[in-house]
Amino acid sequence: RSSRSTSAIMKNCIGKELSKIPMPVNFNEPLSMLQRLTEDLEYYELLDRAAKCESSLEQLCYVAAFTVSSYSTTVFRTSKPFNPLLGETFELDRLEESGYRSLCEQVCHHPPAAAHHVDSRNGWTLRQEIKITSKFRGKYLSIMPLGTIHCVFHSSGNHYTWKKVTTTVHNIIVGKLWIDQSGEIEIVNHKTGDKCVLKFVPYSYFSRDVARKVTGEVADPAGKVHFFLLGTWDEKMDCYKVTAGTGDSSAEGRQRAHEADESRVLLWKRNPLPKYAENMYYFSELALTLNAPEGGTAPTDSRWRPDQRLMENGRWDEANAEKQRLEEKQRLSRKRREAEAARASEDGKSGPDWSLCPDIF
């Protein structure tokens, strides 16, 4: 592997936005951020089930479970994905097998931003624009995704939006790396006014509570809570129907009243990891397929990215050299576009059309 000093690299990173710092592939896993975004679809069946719900409040429960499920693939994933190049794409066509087709594109380099669109034959459309900002604080790394996720169900027209929570990677310098999710997610149905608030409880060594806990409440436009959600972001989510006469009207009271409730419904449970996952970056079954070559993909598709492929094949030094070449090529291309745009502006003309970048690799 690269002989660059890890401690020197990390010292240079403290307090900085990591996407602006050249990092060797030794810190990476052999997937791009576009492929990681596509992993949000691991439990797409939750949206298929949501599309069949006649009640918008029940539908919101499944949307909430889908939201939580997207974090389950991260629990052991302590390596960073490759930062996509501007114009890089990733397409996952699963229309025949699973009824959906997904397309991601890196639309901005600094700050890193991607657009993701998914259409399903089973009655829903998902789209998100995600900007990733990250700061290294010495002992831990904070990753803050900005941008909004939209999910629209075709038959009802119910339109849900939400944002992602903060991911924290602990023990960056010393100790075993571990990941936590913390914060709140508010999911809103813009057609009906229904709302779900999910709370991701930060892990505390001194707490007796279950680790990676998530609670949620599904309420109508008047604020009346109809369902209580309880689970963890790495394992499962249960749903409880809130009935009259529960007693304590607080969220904690509802949780205590329903923890032993036999009427609970399991919304989502994590799929087991493949055998020997610890030797394969803890990839899920879906993640293991994402870099497999497929015919008909664009020349900008992440599967064609040479440094990522070299790393996957264990050719670390070549991968690092190729990564440096691609990053330098991207810098030169950016300078050239900016110069062309400046000249066009001086001449009173529109700038060059560089929305399609077939030669990014």
Side-chain angles (χ1 to χ4, degrees):
R1 297 191 181 187
S2 171
S3 60
R4 294 179 66 181
S5 166
T6 300
S7 59
I9 293 169
M10 302 317 291
K11 184 178 179 181
N12 183 48
C13 293
I14 293 177
K16 295 183 179 179
E17 162 61 60
L18 285 192
S19 66
K20 296 182 179 179
I21 301 169
M23 303 282 278
V25 301
N26 307 56
F27 291 91
N28 288 14
E29 62 179 24
L31 289 177
S32 80
M33 190 62 206
L34 301 182
Q35 291 163 310
R36 282 292 291 268
L37 274 178
T38 305
E39 285 189 63
D40 284 2
L41 300 170
E42 171 104 12
Y43 300 95
Y44 69 90
E45 298 103 324
L46 290 168
L47 296 182
D48 289 352
R49 292 167 71 183
K52 296 176 182 177
C53 289
E54 294 183 4
S55 161
S56 61
L57 290 164
E58 289 181 10
Q59 185 177 74
L60 182 47
C61 291
Y62 283 104
V63 173
F66 173 79
T67 303
V68 174
S69 75
S70 67
Y71 294 97
S72 65
T73 60
T74 68
V75 63
F76 300 116
R77 301 275 286 280
T78 53
S79 298
K80 67 181 289 292
F82 279 76
N83 291 332
L85 301 168
L86 181 62
E88 185 174 332
T89 60
F90 182 70
E91 180 182 359
L92 189 67
D93 188 338
R94 293 292 182 265
L95 284 172
E96 296 305 317
E97 306 95 318
S98 308
Y100 70 81
R101 179 173 177 262
S102 167
L103 184 63
C104 284
E105 180 180 356
Q106 189 75 358
V107 294
C108 184
H109 186 58
H110 285 307
H116 184 198
H117 187 92
V118 190
D119 270 321
S120 171
R121 287 175 174 169
N122 297 322
W124 53 268
T125 296
L126 183 79
R127 65 180 187 272
Q128 57 181 323
E129 69 279 359
I130 297 293
K131 299 180 180 69
I132 302 292
T133 179
S134 56
K135 283 290 176 67
F136 179 52
R137 301 299 187 185
K139 291 184 178 180
Y140 64 91
L141 167 67
S142 292
I143 302 162
M144 293 79 70
L146 309 174
T148 304
I149 304 167
H150 299 255
C151 185
V152 178
F153 292 94
H154 304 163
S155 61
S156 64
N158 287 335
H159 179 179
Y160 299 89
T161 63
W162 65 93
K163 298 176 186 292
K164 290 180 178 279
V165 293
T166 296
T167 298
T168 307
V169 185
H170 295 271
N171 291 348
I172 297 290
I173 300 294
V174 178
K176 184 178 179 180
L177 292 173
W178 61 278
I179 287 176
D180 199 18
Q181 316 287 350
S182 59
E184 288 191 5
I185 294 177
E186 184 179 82
I187 309 171
V188 178
N189 182 340
H190 294 275
K191 182 180 179 183
T192 64
D194 300 335
K195 186 182 296 184
C196 175
V197 177
L198 293 168
K199 295 183 179 180
F200 288 67
V201 181
Y203 175 78
S204 170
Y205 179 78
F206 302 101
S207 174
R208 293 183 179 181
D209 215 342
V210 62
R212 308 181 188 100
K213 182 178 177 181
V214 180
T215 63
E217 294 192 336
V218 174
D220 61 24
K224 181 183 177 182
V225 177
H226 291 257
F227 294 97
F228 181 76
L229 308 179
L230 180 63
T232 61
W233 54 262
D234 67 322
E235 283 292 341
K236 66 172 187 173
M237 285 297 292
D238 289 322
C239 173
Y240 306 87
K241 191 171 181 62
V242 175
T243 56
T246 300
D248 188 345
S249 61
S250 68
E252 292 79 8
R254 279 191 285 272
Q255 178 180 332
R256 286 194 298 272
H258 288 292
E259 278 179 339
D261 191 342
E262 294 179 359
S263 65
R264 66 180 168 189
V265 174
L266 177 66
L267 295 174
W268 160 75
K269 186 177 181 180
R270 180 174 64 87
N271 296 329
L273 286 173
K275 195 174 182 180
Y276 306 120
E278 66 275 11
N279 299 326
M280 300 181 291
Y281 300 91
Y282 288 98
F283 283 180
S284 66
E285 292 283 2
L286 174 64
L288 287 172
T289 71
L290 294 182
N291 217 34
E294 291 189 10
T297 53
T300 52
D301 195 275
S302 301
R303 297 175 181 88
W304 299 106
R305 184 164 171 163
D307 53 348
Q308 187 170 297
R309 184 67 67 185
L310 285 164
M311 183 215 164
E312 184 180 36
N313 293 333
R315 296 159 66 178
W316 294 80
D317 290 339
E318 292 173 74
N320 274 312
E322 188 64 15
K323 183 173 182 288
Q324 292 177 7
R325 182 190 71 81
L326 290 172
E327 289 171 347
E328 181 60 26
K329 182 178 180 180
Q330 180 169 242
R331 281 190 287 270
L332 292 173
S333 178
R334 181 180 181 179
K335 289 179 181 177
R336 185 171 63 251
R337 285 197 308 271
E338 289 173 347
E340 290 175 0
R343 284 196 298 270
S345 178
E346 290 173 2
D347 296 339
K349 300 177 181 177
S350 60
D353 180 11
W354 49 272
S355 57
L356 297 176
C357 312
D359 189 32
I360 58 172
F361 300 146

